[in-house]
């Protein structure tokens, strides 16, 4: 059994996000291997580090996750580097979708998202002192429908378009109506009424914008529209519905119910000037079809008129098809000065692997001819295994180095979505790991047509080599015997499908470990309900009998707020002679338990429900190993979005579990090229020790200071990853930055 040390003073080790461990696909080194994957990526441009260059965020709606990427601005290539240190800067209540637009025209992109049937707005208040900072302006952007005011309608699955449609210096909003059949135009009159942009003054233009409607059963426009589906009168088409809400009108109820029968929830709408004539064309992905719909505007900036369409856009190249809903984006993705077309999967039930199509703009921003380049833009720079990522460490080839195996829930397929296991071999020549993909279908486990695969390894039959047990979504286990013999690369052969008739209900997450320390491997099994099952080996070393002991092991339950789903993923480990337990969960947090030895029939002590403040939503699945060769444990954490994140342990630092290590100081820009700024949140007369080390631990810079802000010229430093440590008499914290 491997025993991992904690720091000597008994405090928790300091775990930091580590992106330095190299990962290869063939001979290609991945640029962002530990970037946690993408399932339903919604992209938006924003300046993260204040260098006046547009970086990128990716929002994954099912897991409520924001992934930031710094744009290194390398000419003619996509040069985005994962920058997780900016994740904490974003609001935690984003859901559905995100959009960015400089609504107040102050030079900073602001943030918009879905909230409670409407559109929320966070103003970007970036400053040199605070860095990126968002201030909530409103959770419901309002509009005037004739004689009354209400929110502009939006839903989690209907993303609006934000644009200055009439080129008057104000942000207008286009959003599908409640019926989902036509597009409403909400015009800003801030400039007209106050002379100041961005005052959130909107009124509904009582004509369906562009004079088009969508067909009832396909993502195709009807031109010209057929009355009365498209409301051309001045009357608000929802007035009866709102009257019903206010007065209980039965007439309003009939109209609203009629509208609901036409509704098709699910669309991603953007507008851009495709032909350089000043008015805006439309791109729409929709639940009614896998196609991307292009609508040409033959009107003017003040009066749109959709006159033609391409329902398989771009039909002149490779059509952008995406199951279930195509999410279009229009920005310069390869730093050549021309805005490209990026089409991603907008719905969580759709494509999860080939899910970001990149179309290069081969002309300019006035003519926009797009050419398909790849279906895995940015995603192919990550460890990405579809939906769900369930990592485990095991020495597959018996070369003395732990390899990384990652099971998943499934790879999306419109006929049969099944699970596989990716095998990343540890190909390092030293103690610090590097990983190279060998196969994405280890042991051909896809042939068993499983979903939600979790692996555990151990010598079950006592012959000196490790066997494999596979947990899966049905709650049972499958046993594969290793026929290779001790010291030989593993050869797993199916031995028993319904292993010992063990069934924990749904989503079995097994761990083979000697729970009661009697010298025999037992089974600890997590499950969908969030509890732990303990099966004791009451047989022998060569003929195990796993006997049920408890389905309430340690009183562990990681289901949040009375939910019936917790998806417990256990890692029981030895901390210097005593067991401790980490349990991943659906919430994205990792639970930490102690008081285990001598208390197997009792209730364990919950030490932390947010271990190390690690938050990898949703469905966090931890795996433990010494990845960087310092003899201390590191964690790899998988999540629903199909990727993994590496947390390495810095043994020179520790944190008090009651402290929040993220609030002591900020450093920016990051990545940094020339000048690094350290900003401390409070003025203090206490002297702080600042140390910067490179990734090998070599001290590069040291300073004692009581200043609130420190500026460092690092222009002559070597390129690479550095750790900045700041400590005073009470606290000690570390942040990572990249010099490029």
């Amino acid at each position: 059994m491997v025993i991992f040390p904690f720091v000597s003073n008994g405090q928790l080790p300091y775990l930091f996000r580590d992106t330095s461990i190299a990962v290869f696909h063939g001979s290609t080194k991945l640029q962002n291997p530990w970037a946690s994957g993408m399932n339903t990526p919604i992209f938006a441009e924003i300046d993260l580090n204040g260098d006046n260059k547009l970086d990128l965020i990716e929002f994954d709606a099912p897991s409520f996750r924001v992934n930031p990427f710094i744009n290194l601005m390398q000419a003619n290539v996509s040069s985005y580097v994962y920058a997780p240190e900016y994740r904490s800067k974003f609001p935690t209540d984003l859901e559905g979708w995100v959009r960015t637009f400089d609504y107040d025209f102050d030079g900073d992109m602001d943030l918009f998202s879905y909230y409670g049937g409407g559109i929320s707005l966070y103003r970007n208040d970036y400053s040199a002192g605070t860095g990126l900072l968002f201030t909530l302006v409103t959770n419901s952007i309002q509009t005037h429908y004739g004689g009354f005011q209400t929110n502009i309608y939006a839903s989690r699955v209907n993303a609006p378009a934000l644009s200055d449609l009439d080129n008057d210096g104000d942000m207008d909003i286009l959003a599908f109506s409640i019926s989902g059949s036509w597009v409403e135009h909400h015009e800003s009159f801030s400039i007209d009424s106050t002379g100041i942009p961005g005052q959130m003054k909107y009124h509904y233009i009582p004509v369906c914008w562009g004079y088009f409607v969508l067909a009832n059963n396909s993502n195709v426009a009807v031109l010209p529209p057929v009355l009365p589906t498209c409301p051309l009168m001045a009357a608000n088409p929802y007035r009866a519905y709102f009257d019903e809400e206010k007065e209980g009108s039965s007439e309003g109820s009939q109209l609203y119910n009629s509208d609901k029968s036409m509704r098709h929830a699910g669309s991603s709408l953007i507008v851009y000037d495709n032909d350089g004539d000043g008015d805006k064309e439309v791109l729409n992905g929709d639940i009614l079809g896998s196609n991307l719909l292009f609508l040409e505007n033959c009107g003017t900036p003040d009066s749109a008129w959709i006159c033609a369409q391409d329902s398989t856009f771009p039909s002149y190249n490779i059509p952008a098809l995406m199951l279930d809903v195509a999410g279009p984006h229009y920005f310069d993705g390869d730093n050549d000065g021309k805005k490209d077309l990026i089409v991603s999967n907008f719905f969580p039930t759709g494509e999860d692997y080939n899910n970001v199509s990149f179309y290069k703009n081969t002309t300019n921003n006035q003519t926009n001819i797009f050419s398909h380049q790849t279906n895995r833009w940015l995603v192919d720079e990550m460890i990405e295994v579809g939906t769900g990522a369930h990592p485990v460490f095991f020495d597959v080839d018996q070369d003395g180095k732990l390899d990384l195996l990652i099971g998943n829930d499934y790879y999306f397929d419109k006929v049969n979505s099944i699970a596989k296991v990716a095998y990343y071999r540890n190909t390092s020549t030293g103690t610090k790991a590097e990983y190279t993909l060998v196969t994405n279908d280890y042991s051909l486990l896809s042939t068993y047509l499983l979903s939600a695969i979790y692996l555990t390894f151990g010598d079950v039959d006592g012959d000196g080599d490790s066997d494999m047990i596979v947990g899966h979504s049905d709650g049972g286990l499958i046993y594969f015997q290793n026929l290779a013999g001790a010291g030989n690369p593993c050869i797993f052969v199916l031995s028993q499908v319904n292993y010992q008739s063990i069934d924990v209900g749904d989503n079995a997450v097994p761990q083979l470990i000697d729970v009661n320390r009697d010298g025999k491997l037992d089974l600890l099994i997590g499950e969908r309900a969030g509890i732990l099952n303990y099966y004791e080996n009451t047989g022998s070393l060569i003929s195990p009998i796993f006997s049920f002991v408890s389905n309430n092991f340690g009183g562990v339950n990681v289901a949040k707020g009375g939910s019936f789903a917790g998806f417990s993923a256990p890692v029981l480990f030895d901390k210097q002679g005593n067991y401790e337990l980490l349990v991943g969960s659906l919430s994205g947090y990792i639970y930490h338990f102690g008081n285990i030895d001598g208390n197997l029939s009792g209730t364990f002590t919950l030490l932390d429900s947010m271990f190390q403040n690690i938050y990898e939503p949703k469905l966090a699945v931890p795996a433990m190993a010494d990845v960087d060769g310092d003899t201390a444990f590191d964690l790899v954490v998988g999540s629903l979005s199909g990727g993994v994140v590496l947390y390495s342990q810095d043994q020179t630092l520790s944190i008090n579990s009651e402290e929040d290590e993220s609030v002591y100081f900020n450093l920016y820009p990051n990545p940094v090229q020339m000048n690094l700024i350290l900003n401390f949140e409070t003025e203090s007369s206490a002297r702080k020790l600042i140390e910067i080390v490179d990734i090998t631990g070599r001290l590069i810079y040291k300073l004692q200071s009581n200043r609130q802000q420190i500026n460092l010229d690092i222009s002559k430093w070597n390129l690479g990853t550095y750790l900045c440590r700041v400590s005073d008499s009470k606290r000690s914290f570390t942040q990572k930055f990249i010099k490029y």
Side-chain angles (χ1 to χ4, degrees), residues 175-254:
F176 271 103
S177 63
I178 291 179
S179 76
S181 297
W182 62 83
V183 171
E184 293 185 342
H185 178 196
H186 300 276
E187 182 181 16
S188 172
F189 58 96
S190 293
I191 288 289
D192 300 313
S193 61
T194 68
I196 303 172
Q199 299 301 298
M200 291 294 103
K201 297 179 180 295
Y202 287 95
H203 64 106
Y204 166 68
I205 303 297
V207 175
C208 61
W209 184 85
Y211 299 97
F212 76 94
V213 296
L214 287 186
N216 289 331
N217 54 9
S218 61
N219 186 26
V220 176
V222 178
L223 306 174
V226 179
L227 293 174
T229 306
C230 181
L232 301 179
M233 300 294 106
N236 170 24
Y238 306 132
R239 184 57 185 263
Y241 163 59
F242 291 114
D243 286 345
E244 176 204 2
E245 290 293 296
K246 294 178 180 179
E247 304 172 8
S249 163
S250 60
E251 180 183 358
S253 177
Q254 291 171 4

Side-chain angles (χ1 to χ4, degrees), residues 25 35 102 298 327 391 404 427 477 532 655 680 705:
H25 283 182
D102 184 9
C298 293
L404 178 60
T427 52
L477 305 178
L532 294 185
I655 62 171
F680 300 89
S705 172

